[in-house]
Amino acid sequence: MKLQAWQSMQVLGGDHQTVSIRHGCAIRLRPPPPSSTPLTNLAFASLLPPLPSTSAAIKRASPVAVYSGDNKDYAAESPAKALRRILDSPGIHQGPACFDALSAKLVERAGFQFCFTSGFSISAVRLGLPDTGFISFGEMVEQGRLVTEGVSIPVIGDADNGYGNALNVKRTVKAYIRAGFAGIILEDQVSPKACGHTQGRKVVSREEAVMRIKAAVDARKESGSDIVIVARTDSRQAVSFDESLWRSRAFADAGADVLFIDALTTREEMKTFCETAPLVPKMANLLEGGGKTPILNLLELGDIGYKIVAYPLSLLGVSIQAMQDALIAIRGGRIPSPGSMPSFEEIKEILGFNIYYEEEKRYATRRPSPSQLSSWGVSSSVNDTQQRAQDNAEQRDRSLEDPVIEVITPDVYNNFGADASRDPFSRIWSRTLRIKLTGRDGFEKLDVRIPAGFLEGVTNIVPALGGVNLKELLDDAAYEPGGKLLLDFNDTIGDRIQVFLE
């Protein structure tokens, strides 16, 4: 792969967006900072490194797919390696906190390079309970696995205090690795833990706190992984600021990759922290809505020395407010206003319906040939009907492929007496059985007519008729003149099936 020098250039236009190019990789348009942030576009561009492409064509389960601009191929990159690449790149990097696969997907669609899972938010949406130790190790791992499987950006997982002693920490780290996390946050609180920026926090001894980080490093080595270990201390509130600095240095010596002191109270404390173990990246946690840590803009955080910044409550907070507003509207006999929610088409696009429909076409089965249909004595109008259905399907991007119709030579139903005049079923030979299939999208998929006496093999035309006693239905209708609707139902995929005796 050809390597090019990292560049950042300004594109002047209506949106004043920045284009960044690094190592010949993906080009990314990045929005300018909020107007409330006293930054010039050029200064903001110098803070942010180039972002990987979030094109819908670039997807992963694990590892991450990274686009190469020179040879237009994809190179495998583990989530941890992708996160380390971000940590090694210039500038400060933002990571909103998510709580499920959908919120993580929205973070990715918005163009962020990585995200966090928030124990506070997961406890809220999964249990409806406060983040005070109620949520378990297993619940956090399960929720995290759904998040990492839903996005292609690296995810840093909140692992609380490791859910026990050093051996529990090892198990936690290995489980987070298997769940697909790129990084893991481990703190030094006692059990049950308390949420950051709240009262009642207590921490374990220095020795136990350091052993947790050493255990995490050992678990990473034993797993053959490169997961990023974020060491958090809550000792600023539980003990003192000096204690939090001592623990941060000890965590760095033990092998932590990123350091994090929660609930620092002043800009000066934040600056002093960033000067501790200067070669190890620092994480800031800006609690929206009123926490203990000052809310600084990106330029200020970058000047102080932070490398990554988390926004733990934004998505949860606005979701709660939006749901409350919607419920008030519904209770008042209204529905939420169009401007307060995306359209149904936008929701389907976000969830990937269109991608699903395109993928579905790859596995569609063939229609029967005209010769196969004619061998059954099917009227020629069927071919025209099927052709119209196929044309309609090609005009609609999200239409479903028609089901396969395999027509075989049937066995004649001959279970009637020698005296045909006394057997009601003998009358069926002069009648026609019409089978009509209408797709759930309203378009006609099939309309065939066959002699009513040919019952064996009908399920090869419409599998959903398997198990239906057509013989009994025909017996009941044998003496009735004119046409009669024998069946009218929807199958498991929503198509309407109608059977007529003509």
Side-chain angles (χ1 to χ4, degrees), residues 127-346:
L127 305 180
L129 293 173
D131 184 23
T132 53
F134 284 117
I135 198 160
S136 68
F137 157 76
E139 290 168 318
M140 288 292 290
V141 172
E142 180 185 7
Q143 194 81 349
R145 178 182 56 78
L146 296 175
V147 168
T148 62
E149 288 180 354
V151 295
S152 60
I153 58 175
V155 182
I156 301 175
D158 184 355
D160 295 328
N161 55 12
Y163 308 102
N165 60 18
L167 292 178
N168 293 107
V169 169
K170 291 186 69 173
R171 177 173 181 255
T172 297
V173 172
K174 292 178 180 180
Y176 272 54
I177 291 171
R178 290 192 298 271
F181 281 104
I184 182 170
I185 303 175
L186 293 164
E187 60 196 50
D188 57 359
Q189 286 197 56
V190 300
S191 295
K193 60 153 287 180
C195 172
H197 297 259
T198 61
Q199 64 185 18
R201 279 185 290 175
K202 299 178 181 179
V203 294
V204 297
S205 66
R206 288 182 173 184
E207 292 75 14
E208 184 174 349
V210 173
M211 282 301 115
R212 287 182 181 179
I213 302 304
K214 289 184 177 180
V217 173
D218 289 343
R220 175 175 63 189
K221 185 183 303 182
E222 293 168 8
S223 300
S225 168
D226 198 25
I227 190 170
V228 173
I229 298 173
V230 181
R232 161 180 163 172
T233 179
D234 288 75
S235 55
R236 168 64 187 90
Q237 296 298 313
V239 184
S240 67
F241 177 56
D242 288 340
E243 178 68 15
S244 66
L245 295 178
W246 186 97
R247 293 190 180 216
S248 296
R249 287 189 291 267
F251 293 162
D253 293 339
D257 300 295
V258 177
L259 301 179
F260 168 27
I261 299 179
D262 193 38
L264 293 175
T265 59
T266 66
R267 182 190 179 104
E268 289 68 29
E269 286 185 353
M270 298 167 73
K271 180 175 175 57
T272 302
F273 165 54
C274 288
E275 293 170 350
T276 301
L279 298 181
V280 182
K282 308 301 190 301
M283 170 182 160
N285 185 40
L286 302 185
L287 187 67
E288 313 91 318
K292 298 180 181 299
T293 302
I295 305 295
L296 305 180
N297 62 47
L298 289 181
L299 182 59
E300 293 172 316
L301 291 171
D303 286 342
I304 288 175
Y306 282 101
K307 173 56 63 175
I308 57 176
V309 53
Y311 300 88
L313 290 183
S314 291
L315 297 188
L316 177 66
V318 298
S319 298
I320 291 174
Q321 185 63 58
M323 287 188 285
Q324 288 177 330
D325 292 344
L327 292 170
I328 290 173
I330 293 171
R331 187 173 178 84
R334 307 183 307 276
I335 61 172
S337 63
S340 67
M341 61 181 290
S343 68
F344 182 50
E345 291 300 318
E346 291 171 326

